[in-house]
Amino acid sequence: MAKNYEEFRTHGKVLIDYICNYVKTIEKRPAFYENLKPGFLAPQLPSDMPENPESFTNVLLDFDQKILPGMVHGIHPDFFTFFGTGNAYPSVIGDMLSGAIATVGFSWASSPSVTELEYIMLDWYAKALNLPDFFLSINSNKNSKGGGALQASATDAMMSFMIAARDRAIKQQKNGRRDSHQPGLGGNEDAAYLPKLVCYASVNAHGCVEKVANLCMVKYRSVKVDADDKMKASALENAIREDLENGFIPFFVVGTSGTTEQGAFDELDKIGEVCSKFQGIWFHVDASYGGNFFMLPSKRYLSVGLNYADSINVNPNKLLLTAADCTCAWVKDVQGFVEAFDVEALYLKHQYEESIVDLRHWGTPLSRRFRSLKLFFMFRMYGLEGFQAFLNKVIDVGEHFATLVTSDSRFRVKNDAKNGIVCFRLNRNDHVNESLLKMINDTKKIHLLPTICKKKMCLRFVVNREYCSEAQVKRAWLLISHYATNLRDEIKRRRALSIEGQAEENDELNQENSLNFKDRMTIETNESAVKKSIQDDETPTVAPKDESAV
Ligand SMILES: Cc1ncc(COP(=O)(O)O)c(C=O)c1O
């Protein structure tokens, strides 16, 4: 039985009211689910699809009472974890329309506006970010070979670009030939190059680079960082030279603008210069979070060196209030890029193939929904000024929190906390900081992640949410500082006990052994980044003198 759209008129209005109430009352809910274990949901729902249609009201009720309690409310003002994704309503409207205007969108002919609006929106955003002109499409720059399209996630963008770079590298080795498409050869000859290809990113790069390298069956090499957690260009150059000497083929380098854990911005000019010294290296910039800041003239210095890049991705869903999924990805040479994905089928052909690149050539999926609609509504309803005001607020709120932390002599901020991410720690060993983090997260009042910053375990506090204000972070700070005091009292109590009988070395809370940190780290954590950082840190942590008192 088809559902008619008159019903939707009624139910849609109810749903919009429901969504508005959800957002309006978000603070009254706990930000976190309570005491749930895997498998909590199935017993609450029927074991099979219902035989007969059910009413909208029943379904929404079940959502509200059974499913919603299993959510972390990422827009909650007490949520300072991950990079919360946006839910600004213009983007929600765009997604609704995209669902309603059913399209397959894989070729220009399948719905011309889907392709064209996506290219136009990506040009708008590239210009707002002041990206180099070569990333613009020919709509905006007649001489350009470049352009941008949307990807489902930063990882997907990484995957597409690494596949294209791999394709290019193999062709370079074989004077332009690939055997993958030739009957009988099946890619055997190409595959022989895979074990030689090497990609590079800093130890602080997101884990998706390593994941994608594994999927592409190429070697992944992580590069050391400097004292500010930025990739060391000299270490990159040494690694590339060493690999070349050993017969490997360096083919892909990733620089990060806004590392997930520390918010560090790699110096793109220095990395780009290194890449340009060697033939055939594809330089990709993962600006998932931090790239959004390029919209601010005051932050443009962070994008110096983008002229060396072959590709870049920026995610409006990570910092520009936009609902996920929304990864903007640009490439300097669109034709060179799409060659890696170009497989023809009779039913996909159309008469304008030569004049416009179909979106299906931008990655692995064939069909795609009308993704750019959410940007169309966001860009027009916020405008550059609206976004800039929000980005400045993120900076201000982050700095405000950092000031609160530094005004307490028990704590130290360890990163350059000017971009909405504050990494801080008690002036104690890692073990004590872990205990503090656990105490805080156990309250379920606020939530923070552990991170490694300047080789020390830190608490990571992110303020990229629409509803995150100075008042909210002050409230969070009072809680953190309260638990730091509790922890100090606990340590004193244990010390007193140990003086009475136990050796102090046995004090679980007071052990100086950061090398065991990874074993103890059981809270949600980026395991591989931690591992890498620890491997890189050969000197055990010894607390400086001023790190003695909580
Ligand atoms: C710098 C960076 N790159 C890549 C990713 C992966 O993003 P996605 O979930 O869109 O694949 C993240 C996630 O937070 C990130 O911070």
Side-chain angles (χ1 to χ4, degrees), residues 83 152-156 206 208 256 258-260 286 288-289 315 318 327:
F83 289 138
S153 68
T155 310
D156 280 305
H206 191 270
C208 72
T256 309
T259 58
T260 317
D286 177 6
S288 295
Y289 172 77
N315 285 38
K318 293 199 198 291
T327 298

Side-chain angles (χ1 to χ4, degrees), residues 26-44:
I26 193 74
E27 269 193 76
K28 297 196 178 133
R29 298 171 186 274
F32 308 95
Y33 49 82
E34 297 283 343
N35 306 323
L36 295 181
K37 298 235 159 59
F40 83 97
L41 191 54
Q44 300 187 64

Side-chain angles (χ1 to χ4, degrees), residues 3 25 82 129 161 194 196 208 237 241 255-256 334 339 377 405 412 516 537:
K3 295 281 169 210
T25 58
F82 309 126
L129 296 173
F161 291 131
L194 296 180
K196 293 189 169 176
C208 72
E237 182 162 351
R241 289 195 188 284
T256 309
V334 174
E339 269 175 27
F377 280 88
V405 176
R412 204 179 277 178
N516 285 333
D537 182 7

Side-chain angles (χ1 to χ4, degrees), residues 143-192:
N143 302 319
S144 177
K145 291 180 170 175
L150 287 164
Q151 301 274 346
S153 68
T155 310
D156 280 305
M158 191 71 68
M159 185 78 185
S160 295
F161 291 131
M162 203 185 289
I163 287 174
R166 190 181 67 172
D167 189 66
R168 188 175 85 173
I170 294 175
K171 278 187 196 143
Q172 275 164 1
Q173 296 297 316
K174 298 173 65 187
N175 297 323
R177 277 187 308 113
R178 284 278 317 261
D179 63 7
S180 315
H181 297 170
Q182 292 173 30
L185 288 177
N188 290 344
E189 223 183 81
D190 293 347

Side-chain angles (χ1 to χ4, degrees), residues 51-315:
E51 194 73 35
N52 298 307
E54 287 189 59
S55 75
F56 167 75
T57 313
N58 270 356
V59 182
L60 185 60
L61 212 63
D62 268 3
F63 171 79
D64 187 71
Q65 294 178 358
K66 296 171 180 168
I67 297 173
L68 202 58
M71 300 299 293
V72 169
H73 302 289
I75 59 160
H76 199 287
D78 291 335
F79 191 72
F80 303 103
T81 301
F82 309 126
F83 289 138
T85 190
N87 77 334
Y89 83 83
S91 60
V92 177
I93 286 177
D95 273 350
M96 276 176 80
L97 261 183
S98 162
I101 301 186
T103 178
V104 282
F106 42 60
S107 67
W108 180 88
S110 72
S111 273
S113 291
V114 174
T115 307
E116 299 211 3
L117 188 68
E118 193 158 321
Y119 289 155
I120 295 166
M121 289 304 99
L122 272 277
D123 275 357
W124 282 15
Y125 198 32
K127 284 189 259 183
L129 296 173
N130 199 34
L131 298 187
D133 277 358
F134 58 69
F135 283 129
L136 298 175
S137 77
I138 44 166
N139 290 330
S140 301
N141 172 8
K142 283 209 167 43
N143 302 319
S144 177
K145 291 180 170 175
L150 287 164
Q151 301 274 346
S153 68
T155 310
D156 280 305
M158 191 71 68
M159 185 78 185
S160 295
F161 291 131
M162 203 185 289
I163 287 174
R166 190 181 67 172
D167 189 66
R168 188 175 85 173
I170 294 175
K171 278 187 196 143
Q172 275 164 1
Q173 296 297 316
K174 298 173 65 187
N175 297 323
R177 277 187 308 113
R178 284 278 317 261
D179 63 7
S180 315
H181 297 170
Q182 292 173 30
L185 288 177
N188 290 344
E189 223 183 81
D190 293 347
Y193 288 92
L194 296 180
K196 293 189 169 176
L197 297 175
V198 191
C199 94
Y200 308 80
S202 95
V203 292
N204 289 337
H206 191 270
C208 72
V209 190
E210 187 173 358
K211 176 178 177 177
V212 168
N214 289 340
L215 290 170
C216 286
M217 299 175 83
V218 298
K219 195 166 173 254
Y220 175 74
R221 189 156 177 187
S222 59
V223 179
K224 281 189 175 169
V225 289
D226 64 16
D228 293 322
D229 274 316
K230 300 171 184 182
M231 190 203 275
K232 258 189 185 166
S234 57
L236 172 67
E237 182 162 351
N238 291 342
I240 292 175
R241 289 195 188 284
E242 187 184 277
D243 285 341
L244 280 169
E245 271 167 30
N246 291 323
F248 289 101
I249 308 167
F251 84 110
F252 197 73
V253 169
V254 178
T256 309
S257 290
T259 58
T260 317
E261 303 204 40
Q262 308 81 6
F265 285 72
D266 286 339
E267 288 168 328
L268 304 178
D269 50 347
K270 292 191 179 157
I271 300 174
E273 263 170 43
V274 170
C275 294
S276 68
K277 288 185 190 171
F278 303 93
Q279 206 227 329
I281 292 187
W282 184 301
F283 177 29
H284 175 70
V285 177
D286 177 6
S288 295
Y289 172 77
N292 293 288
F293 281 118
F294 301 160
M295 232 189 218
L296 296 174
S298 60
K299 294 284 179 188
R300 294 266 158 86
Y301 71 97
L302 295 169
S303 67
V304 170
L306 270 182
N307 53 308
Y308 288 106
D310 291 280
S311 55
I312 176 171
N313 71 279
V314 181
N315 285 38

